[in-house]
Amino acid sequence: MDINAWTALLAATIVAGTPILFAAAGELLAERSGILNLGVEGMMLVGAALGFIVTVNTGNHWVGLLAALAGGGSMAAIHALVTVSLRGNQVVSGLALTIFGSGLSGFLGKNYQGIPMNYGFKSLDLPVLSDLPYLGAVFFRHDILVYFSVILALFMWYLLYKTKWGLAIRSVGENPQAADAVGIDVSRIRYLCTIAGGMLAGLGGAYISLVYAPTWQENMTAGRGWIAVALVIFALWNPTRAVLGAYLFGGVEALTFRLQTMGINLSSFFLAMFPYLVTILVLVVVTIRRRQDAGAPQALSVAYDREER
Amino acid sequence: MKRTPVIEMKGISKRFPGVIANDKISFRVYPGEIHALLGENGAGKSTLMSILAGLYRPDNGIIKVQGRAVKLDSPRKALEAGIGMIYQHFRLVDNFTVAENIVLGAPKSPSKINREQMETETRRVSQSYGLTINPGARVHQLSLGEQQRVEIIKMLYRGCEVLIMDEPTTVLTPGEVKELFEILRAMSRQGKSIVLITHKLNEVMEIADYVTVLRRGRVVGEDRIENLDEGRLTRMMVAREVAYSQVKRDKSVGQVVLSVDRLKVQGDLGYLAVKQASFDLRQGEIMAIAGVAGNGQKELVEALVGIRSSVSGTVEYQGEEINHLNVRERISLGINMVPEDRIGTGLVPNLSIIDNSILRNYYKEEFFTGFFLNYKKVRRYTEGIVDKYNVYFSDLKHPVNYLSGGNLQKLLLGREIEQKPRVLLASYPVRGLDVAAAEDIYGLLLKERDKGTAILLVLEDLEDIFRIADRVAVMYQGSISGILEVNKTSIDEIGSLMVGAQLTGVENG
Ligand SMILES: Nc1ncnc2c1ncn2[C@@H]1O[C@H](COP(=O)(O)OP(=O)(O)O)[C@@H](O)[C@H]1O
Ligand SMILES: [Mg+2]
């Protein structure tokens, strides 16, 4: 492979990592508040379907994006209702929403299979930076959503670690009793984080159907929602690490694609396993190191009831 | 001059499934007062104060702060009204630093977190009360005493005028208790009010200005400390009327079954919880262990059933030393126990009545057909138990946590009695039960005694002791300070032993 092929591969890596990054950032936010959302895959699918359908019908991809945000957000609102207000089981609710989302998106998109789409996000070459040799091609000749996803992750890091709201969110995920006792509204924070997380999952889905592979196909997210869930663990619940992780997994995806076009026969099953293998490895390492302040939020997936002992 | 109370609670009631935790309670606190809220376990102290702190919602009653009626329906509202509570189980985020815990949720803290400023603030508040703490340390690195300090600073930082502390001294060493009291006095001098929840009389006498005593969800007495002494407080706390022994017995007691000699047992905090315990337990008698909670009763019982190992001394069962036997081996000898927390240790909350009833002996052949549990047989066994022990239920298949406290206890006690124990140990068997349920439990225990079982009960309510026990061993600070025949003693005598008085002419065995 020559140097240009490499830059192309790296640029493809970033594009492939972007939907995962959106979804993972959303999941991370929800989990930081103590809500495990296993509905990401379903929310991404609904986002992808709605984003595509609305864009085709309105001719405006921004409206399509809004629809995807709303779709993911509403499904997450159901998750919040079930798990925060009704204190239902988070795993069950999340899995149900994934199955529901896969069915719903298939139903909505039935008549849109394979329709081409001519609207979309143009590449936005950043002035000066995009002219840098190699680096410019890899990092600075992308559509606006790619830049936004990175800014979003960095913003989330700032929010969580540098502001009092972030402190509040983390405290709710660590110890809702403690948060409640100092007057933090546990339910409100959990609702907000879960819904915002679902919106980001929807956005991640729409990125796939509008930019990455501009079309609609049933189940087109192909497990990226699950990768996002795994990525949160891989990132040890830290948004900046999630960026790196997303590009690592995106790189694997881009590489798989590239190797196939080059006729090299590395089993695609092996590559599909890769993100999960890495996640398991990370889990093992983390558990061995057992650093209290770097692990999962202590109250993750535990419902909070003020009057319960 | 008539001062307005900072806090006035009137007619506060609160029910939990199966218990009335607070029954029309009225409670007042004046500015600068150190107010002790005294009562045995389960009296409703924590519930009452959790209501004041906005954590629980009362079913009835009104609350006034500085003379104005308020609705404290969340901890935030209570904090805004200047009321802060330090719970028995601290509410701190373990992974956060001290400073982070202190500014967490405080309206006045700036939006952008500035570590340095946060830690300076923490230091400023802590130093103004002479509390030393390292603001950068993470909470999980701190001792319980230090964590308590963080809680106090947290409330001071929020400018609380009323500080509620729930049993603050249970996690402290004696030295730390002294320090804490100094801090509380300093706060009181600055006009802040403190509510100290406790069941320790000496602490009340040492620090309180005013005492309110709760018993079974009601206020049974209140007064300024000058008008009280430990004896009167004990009486208020454990019994309303002077009790007398009601135990009627036809048979005399039999052989010694359990003999405990100079037993020493280590507590969780590392020092000896039981310093000296010697007694004999005979067939067909009920012996009560009396004492204010936390004087070693729990550790003693745990050592007897084999959950906790002893440091020295011996436990003999029918003449044989059993120190080295584990729990299961002791059970097979016939030493059974009804633990303090019915649900959790005693019964599995989410399993059905049926499943819980055979937890002890599910492996017995009588329940099996070949390889499988035969639920017909099991059900018949369970029906036998609920019938015999009067357990009220709606469905045997429902999880036991739907049962009320009394029925839980009957099920648990019934299950243990069905094992035909030779020695039965029970901790606080009627705690939190209503009168009727308590009667049923007494009845079961007395019947069991008359069958010849040796029964050891940990009790704290003197009325209960007079109602049911033949003898009483009083524990104080890890030692048995006296063993008395119940029908030859008085409430005053037991009460004074409970607070550390020496018995003249100690009777042993
Ligand atoms: N959250 C709760 N849910 C159910 N029952 C409770 C709860 N809190 C307290 N109780 C019950 O209310 C009674 C009073 O408890 P509590 O206020 O904790 O007493 P104290 O603090 O005086 O020991 C007890 O019978 C207890 O079992
Ligand atoms: Mg209590």
Coordinates of all heavy atoms in Angstrom, one line a residue, chain A residues 305-309, chain B residues 14-22 37-50 56 88 166-167 197-199 214-217 342 431-433 460, ligand 1:
Chain A
D305 N -34.9 4.5 45.0 CA -36.2 4.8 45.7 C -35.9 5.4 47.0 O -35.2 4.8 47.9 CB -36.9 3.5 45.9 CG -38.3 3.7 46.6 OD1 -38.6 4.9 46.9 OD2 -39.0 2.8 46.8
R306 N -36.3 6.7 47.2 CA -35.9 7.4 48.4 C -36.3 6.7 49.7 O -35.6 6.7 50.6 CB -36.6 8.8 48.3 CG -36.1 9.7 49.3 CD -36.8 11.1 49.1 NE -36.2 11.9 48.2 CZ -36.7 13.1 47.7 NH1 -37.9 13.4 48.1 NH2 -36.1 13.8 46.9
E307 N -37.5 6.1 49.7 CA -38.0 5.6 51.0 C -37.6 4.1 51.2 O -38.0 3.5 52.2 CB -39.5 5.8 51.1 CG -39.9 7.2 51.1 CD -41.1 7.5 52.0 OE1 -41.7 6.6 52.6 OE2 -41.5 8.7 52.1
E308 N -36.9 3.6 50.3 CA -36.5 2.2 50.4 C -35.3 2.1 51.3 O -34.4 3.0 51.2 CB -36.2 1.6 49.1 CG -36.1 0.1 49.1 CD -36.0 -0.5 47.7 OE1 -37.0 -0.5 47.0 OE2 -34.9 -0.8 47.4
R309 N -35.2 1.1 52.2 CA -34.1 1.0 53.0 C -33.0 0.2 52.4 O -33.2 -0.7 51.6 CB -34.4 0.3 54.3 CG -35.1 1.3 55.3 CD -35.3 0.6 56.6 NE -36.2 -0.5 56.4 CZ -36.7 -1.2 57.5 NH1 -36.3 -0.9 58.7 NH2 -37.6 -2.1 57.3
Chain B
K14 N -46.3 8.4 60.6 CA -45.8 7.7 59.4 C -45.9 6.2 59.5 O -45.5 5.7 60.5 CB -44.3 8.1 59.2 CG -43.6 7.4 58.1 CD -43.9 8.0 56.7 CE -43.2 7.3 55.6 NZ -43.7 7.7 54.3
R15 N -46.5 5.6 58.5 CA -46.6 4.2 58.5 C -45.7 3.6 57.5 O -45.6 4.1 56.4 CB -48.0 3.7 58.1 CG -49.1 4.1 59.0 CD -50.5 3.9 58.3 NE -51.5 4.1 59.3 CZ -51.9 3.1 60.2 NH1 -51.3 1.9 60.1 NH2 -52.7 3.3 61.1
F16 N -45.2 2.4 57.8 CA -44.6 1.5 56.8 C -45.4 0.3 56.8 O -46.1 0.0 57.8 CB -43.1 1.2 57.2 CG -42.2 2.4 57.0 CD1 -41.6 3.0 58.1 CD2 -42.0 2.9 55.7 CE1 -40.8 4.1 57.9 CE2 -41.1 4.0 55.6 CZ -40.6 4.6 56.6
P17 N -45.3 -0.5 55.8 CA -46.1 -1.7 55.7 C -45.9 -2.5 57.0 O -44.8 -2.9 57.4 CB -45.5 -2.5 54.5 CG -44.9 -1.5 53.7 CD -44.5 -0.3 54.5
G18 N -47.0 -2.7 57.8 CA -46.9 -3.5 59.0 C -46.5 -2.8 60.2 O -46.7 -3.3 61.3
V19 N -46.0 -1.6 60.2 CA -45.7 -0.9 61.4 C -46.1 0.6 61.3 O -46.1 1.2 60.3 CB -44.2 -0.8 61.8 CG1 -43.8 -2.1 62.4 CG2 -43.4 -0.5 60.6
I20 N -46.4 1.2 62.5 CA -46.6 2.6 62.6 C -45.3 3.1 63.2 O -45.0 2.9 64.3 CB -47.8 3.0 63.5 CG1 -49.0 2.3 63.0 CG2 -47.9 4.5 63.5 CD1 -50.3 2.6 63.8
A21 N -44.5 3.7 62.3 CA -43.1 4.1 62.8 C -43.2 5.3 63.6 O -42.5 5.5 64.6 CB -42.2 4.3 61.6
N22 N -44.1 6.2 63.3 CA -44.3 7.5 64.0 C -45.8 7.6 64.2 O -46.6 7.5 63.3 CB -43.8 8.7 63.3 CG -42.3 8.8 63.3 OD1 -41.7 9.6 62.6 ND2 -41.6 7.9 64.1
L37 N -32.6 12.8 71.0 CA -33.8 12.0 70.7 C -33.4 10.6 71.0 O -32.6 10.0 70.4 CB -34.1 12.2 69.2 CG -35.4 11.5 68.7 CD1 -36.6 12.0 69.5 CD2 -35.5 11.8 67.2
L38 N -34.0 10.2 72.1 CA -33.6 8.9 72.7 C -34.7 7.8 72.5 O -35.9 8.1 72.5 CB -33.4 9.2 74.2 CG -32.9 8.0 75.1 CD1 -31.4 7.7 74.7 CD2 -33.0 8.5 76.6
G39 N -34.2 6.6 72.3 CA -35.2 5.5 72.2 C -34.5 4.3 71.8 O -33.4 4.4 71.2
E40 N -35.1 3.1 72.1 CA -34.4 1.9 71.6 C -34.5 1.7 70.1 O -35.2 2.5 69.5 CB -35.1 0.7 72.4 CG -36.6 1.0 72.5 CD -37.4 -0.2 73.0 OE1 -36.8 -1.2 73.4 OE2 -38.6 -0.2 72.9
N41 N -33.9 0.7 69.6 CA -34.0 0.5 68.2 C -35.4 0.2 67.8 O -36.2 -0.5 68.4 CB -33.2 -0.8 67.8 CG -31.7 -0.4 67.6 OD1 -31.5 0.5 66.8 ND2 -30.8 -1.1 68.2
G42 N -35.8 0.8 66.6 CA -37.1 0.6 66.1 C -38.1 1.5 66.7 O -39.3 1.5 66.4
A43 N -37.7 2.4 67.6 CA -38.6 3.3 68.2 C -39.2 4.4 67.3 O -40.2 5.0 67.5 CB -38.0 4.0 69.4
G44 N -38.5 4.6 66.2 CA -39.0 5.6 65.2 C -38.2 6.8 65.1 O -38.6 7.8 64.5
K45 N -37.0 6.9 65.7 CA -36.2 8.1 65.7 C -35.7 8.5 64.4 O -35.9 9.6 63.9 CB -35.0 7.9 66.6 CG -35.3 7.3 68.0 CD -34.0 7.1 68.8 CE -33.1 6.0 68.3 NZ -33.5 4.6 68.4
S46 N -35.1 7.5 63.6 CA -34.6 7.8 62.3 C -35.7 8.2 61.4 O -35.6 9.1 60.6 CB -33.9 6.6 61.7 OG -32.8 6.2 62.6
T47 N -36.9 7.6 61.5 CA -38.0 7.9 60.7 C -38.4 9.4 60.9 O -38.6 10.1 59.9 CB -39.2 7.0 60.9 OG1 -38.7 5.6 60.7 CG2 -40.3 7.3 60.0
L48 N -38.6 9.7 62.2 CA -39.0 11.1 62.5 C -38.0 12.1 61.9 O -38.4 13.1 61.3 CB -39.1 11.3 64.0 CG -39.7 12.6 64.5 CD1 -41.1 12.8 64.1 CD2 -39.5 12.8 66.0
M49 N -36.8 11.9 62.1 CA -35.8 12.9 61.6 C -35.6 12.8 60.1 O -35.4 13.8 59.5 CB -34.4 12.6 62.3 CG -34.4 13.0 63.7 SD -34.9 14.8 64.0 CE -36.5 14.7 64.7
S50 N -35.9 11.7 59.5 CA -35.8 11.6 58.0 C -37.0 12.4 57.4 O -36.9 13.0 56.3 CB -35.9 10.2 57.5 OG -34.8 9.4 58.0
Y56 N -38.3 11.4 54.0 CA -39.6 10.6 54.0 C -40.8 11.7 54.0 O -40.6 12.7 54.6 CB -39.7 9.8 55.3 CG -38.8 8.6 55.3 CD1 -38.7 7.8 56.5 CD2 -38.0 8.2 54.2 CE1 -37.9 6.7 56.6 CE2 -37.2 7.1 54.3 CZ -37.1 6.4 55.5 OH -36.3 5.3 55.5
Q88 N -27.2 7.6 59.5 CA -26.4 6.6 60.2 C -25.4 6.0 59.2 O -24.2 5.7 59.5 CB -27.3 5.5 60.7 CG -26.8 4.9 61.9 CD -27.8 4.0 62.6 OE1 -29.0 4.1 62.3 NE2 -27.4 3.2 63.5
D166 N -27.7 11.1 63.2 CA -28.3 9.8 63.6 C -27.2 8.8 64.1 O -26.4 8.4 63.4 CB -29.0 9.2 62.3 CG -30.0 8.1 62.7 OD1 -29.9 7.6 63.9 OD2 -30.8 7.7 61.8
E167 N -27.3 8.6 65.4 CA -26.4 7.7 66.1 C -24.9 7.9 65.7 O -24.3 7.0 65.2 CB -26.8 6.2 65.8 CG -28.3 5.9 65.9 CD -28.6 5.0 67.0 OE1 -27.7 4.6 67.7 OE2 -29.8 4.7 67.2
I197 N -29.5 11.8 67.7 CA -30.3 10.6 67.8 C -29.4 9.6 68.5 O -28.2 9.4 68.1 CB -30.7 10.0 66.5 CG1 -31.6 11.0 65.7 CG2 -31.5 8.7 66.6 CD1 -32.1 10.5 64.4
T198 N -29.9 9.0 69.5 CA -29.0 8.0 70.2 C -29.8 7.0 71.1 O -31.0 7.3 71.3 CB -28.0 8.7 71.1 OG1 -27.1 7.8 71.8 CG2 -28.7 9.6 72.2
H199 N -29.2 6.0 71.5 CA -29.8 5.1 72.5 C -28.8 5.0 73.7 O -29.0 4.1 74.5 CB -30.3 3.8 71.9 CG -29.2 3.0 71.3 ND1 -29.2 2.7 70.0 CD2 -28.0 2.5 71.8 CE1 -28.1 2.0 69.7 NE2 -27.4 1.9 70.7
L214 N -38.6 8.5 72.7 CA -39.5 7.8 71.9 C -39.6 6.4 72.3 O -38.6 5.8 72.6 CB -39.2 7.9 70.4 CG -39.2 9.2 69.6 CD1 -39.1 8.9 68.1 CD2 -40.5 9.9 69.9
R215 N -40.8 5.8 72.2 CA -40.9 4.4 72.4 C -42.1 3.9 71.5 O -43.2 4.5 71.5 CB -41.2 4.1 73.8 CG -41.4 2.7 74.2 CD -41.1 2.5 75.7 NE -41.1 1.1 75.9 CZ -42.2 0.4 76.2 NH1 -43.4 1.0 76.3 NH2 -42.2 -0.9 76.4
R216 N -41.8 2.9 70.7 CA -42.8 2.3 69.8 C -43.5 3.4 69.0 O -44.8 3.4 69.0 CB -43.7 1.4 70.6 CG -43.0 0.3 71.1 CD -43.8 -0.8 71.7 NE -43.0 -1.9 72.1 CZ -43.3 -2.9 73.0 NH1 -44.6 -2.9 73.4 NH2 -42.5 -3.8 73.3
G217 N -42.8 4.4 68.5 CA -43.4 5.3 67.6 C -44.1 6.5 68.3 O -44.7 7.4 67.7
R342 N -35.1 -10.2 60.2 CA -35.9 -11.2 59.7 C -35.7 -11.4 58.2 O -35.5 -12.5 57.7 CB -37.3 -10.9 59.9 CG -37.7 -10.9 61.4 CD -38.9 -10.0 61.7 NE -38.7 -9.7 63.0 CZ -39.2 -8.6 63.6 NH1 -40.0 -7.8 62.9 NH2 -39.0 -8.4 64.9
R431 N -39.1 -7.0 68.1 CA -38.8 -5.6 67.7 C -39.7 -5.2 66.5 O -39.8 -5.9 65.5 CB -37.3 -5.5 67.3 CG -37.0 -4.1 66.8 CD -35.6 -4.0 66.2 NE -34.6 -4.0 67.3 CZ -33.3 -4.0 67.1 NH1 -32.9 -4.2 65.8 NH2 -32.5 -4.0 68.1
G432 N -40.3 -4.1 66.7 CA -41.1 -3.5 65.6 C -42.4 -4.2 65.4 O -43.1 -3.9 64.4
L433 N -42.8 -5.1 66.3 CA -44.1 -5.8 66.0 C -45.2 -5.1 66.9 O -44.9 -4.5 67.9 CB -44.0 -7.2 66.5 CG -42.9 -8.1 65.8 CD1 -43.1 -9.6 66.2 CD2 -43.0 -7.9 64.3
E460 N -34.2 -5.8 74.5 CA -33.8 -4.5 75.1 C -34.9 -3.8 75.9 O -34.7 -2.9 76.7 CB -33.3 -3.6 74.0 CG -34.3 -3.4 72.9 CD -33.7 -2.8 71.6 OE1 -32.6 -2.1 71.7 OE2 -34.3 -2.9 70.5
Ligands
LIG1 N1 -37.9 2.6 54.8 C1 -38.6 1.8 55.6 N2 -39.4 0.9 55.1 C2 -40.1 0.1 55.9 N3 -40.1 0.1 57.2 C3 -39.3 1.0 57.8 C4 -38.5 1.9 57.0 N4 -37.8 2.7 57.9 C5 -38.1 2.3 59.1 N5 -39.0 1.3 59.1 C6 -39.7 0.6 60.3 O1 -40.2 1.7 61.1 C7 -39.9 1.4 62.5 C8 -39.0 2.5 63.1 O2 -37.7 2.5 62.5 P1 -36.6 3.6 62.7 O3 -37.2 4.9 62.6 O4 -35.5 3.2 61.9 O5 -36.3 3.4 64.3 P2 -35.0 3.9 65.1 O6 -34.3 4.8 64.3 O7 -35.6 4.5 66.3 O8 -34.2 2.7 65.4 C9 -39.2 0.1 62.5 O9 -40.2 -0.9 62.8 C10 -38.7 -0.1 61.1 O10 -38.7 -1.5 60.8

